Amino acid sequence: MNNFAFLKFMTLGTSTVGEIKMASRGKTETSKLKQNLEEQLDRLMQQLQDLEECREELDTDEYEETKKETLEQLSEFNDSLKKIMSGNMTLVDELSGMQLAIQAAISQAFKTPEVIRLFAKKQPGQLRTKLAEMDRDLMVGKLDRGLYTQQKVEILTALRKLGEKLTADDEDFLSANAGAILSQFEKVSTDLGSGDKVLALASFEVEKTKK
């Protein structure tokens, strides 16, 4: 490319270069925001996990009060998340799994902090690994059947919500063992998920017309 052609390219490409830089900066900011939100969620999930592990050391009132406070913090976090996602389709796509996971925790449909955390971070591979570990623990008697059933239902529901294909056996297990709260979450979260996307898209289109 001669000097004239190079200068012409640079002149014509100024806006394109600017757009690329803005897109890159936007992507970096989104990545940092997502990381910060994941760290906040990890902290709340750790609180829930610590609470469950110390349950026998606490009296009933203390346990219930602490759990209520943590769920209230999760609810506030969820409200903040909705405001952050409003009108930003990139964030809706990035954070929709986190929002569903928080809704599952708040509604008590999911009670296992580790499963909620993996659901929020969209980690189907790790969820399947967790399920395989549970299968082994059940076979050798390290895991109670009731707890196994509860956690497996949570994992299968999370996998389904993340768009993963379930086997016929898993679908049958889910149908047979999903309780009323989890079934209600399935229905409500489906409605909320689509509703949030529609509202975010509408807001995004309104903002575009103003510019």
Side-chain angles (χ1 to χ4, degrees), residues 128-190:
R128 290 189 184 279
T129 299
K130 168 73 174 171
L131 185 54
E133 291 171 355
M134 286 165 48
D135 287 338
R136 289 195 298 271
D137 288 347
L138 182 70
M139 287 179 66
V140 298
K142 287 176 62 178
L143 185 62
D144 173 74
R145 168 69 68 174
L147 187 59
Y148 169 84
T149 299
Q150 173 202 311
Q151 294 186 0
K152 182 171 181 176
V153 166
E154 291 178 18
I155 289 174
L156 293 178
T157 302
L159 288 171
R160 180 191 277 172
K161 287 294 181 185
L162 292 175
E164 292 289 301
K165 180 73 174 176
L166 301 184
T167 65
D169 286 346
D170 285 341
E171 290 285 3
D172 289 343
F173 183 92
L174 202 51
S175 298
N177 294 285
I181 292 177
L182 196 58
S183 297
Q184 182 64 15
F185 165 72
E186 278 268 29
K187 180 181 183 301
V188 172
S189 63
T190 299

Side-chain angles (χ1 to χ4, degrees), residues 99-117:
Q99 188 178 26
L100 280 178
I102 293 169
Q103 289 168 356
I106 293 170
S107 68
Q108 295 287 277
F110 282 28
K111 298 180 180 178
T112 313
E114 184 182 358
V115 175
I116 297 168
R117 185 185 290 118

Side-chain angles (χ1 to χ4, degrees), residues 1-10:
M1 183 184 292
N2 59 37
N3 289 341
F4 175 77
F6 177 74
L7 287 171
K8 185 178 180 183
F9 167 78
M10 289 300 292

Side-chain angles (χ1 to χ4, degrees), residues 63-113:
Y63 168 81
E64 292 296 341
E65 182 63 28
T66 306
K67 186 166 187 177
K68 180 183 176 184
E69 288 174 359
T70 304
L71 291 176
E72 285 174 353
Q73 290 176 45
L74 268 173
S75 184
E76 290 170 3
F77 181 61
N78 190 44
D79 290 340
S80 298
L81 197 59
K82 286 181 180 179
K83 291 176 183 176
I84 291 169
M85 291 166 64
S86 178
N88 189 322
M89 290 311 296
T90 300
L91 289 179
V92 170
D93 290 336
E94 287 282 342
L95 303 177
S96 56
M98 184 181 292
Q99 188 178 26
L100 280 178
I102 293 169
Q103 289 168 356
I106 293 170
S107 68
Q108 295 287 277
F110 282 28
K111 298 180 180 178
T112 313

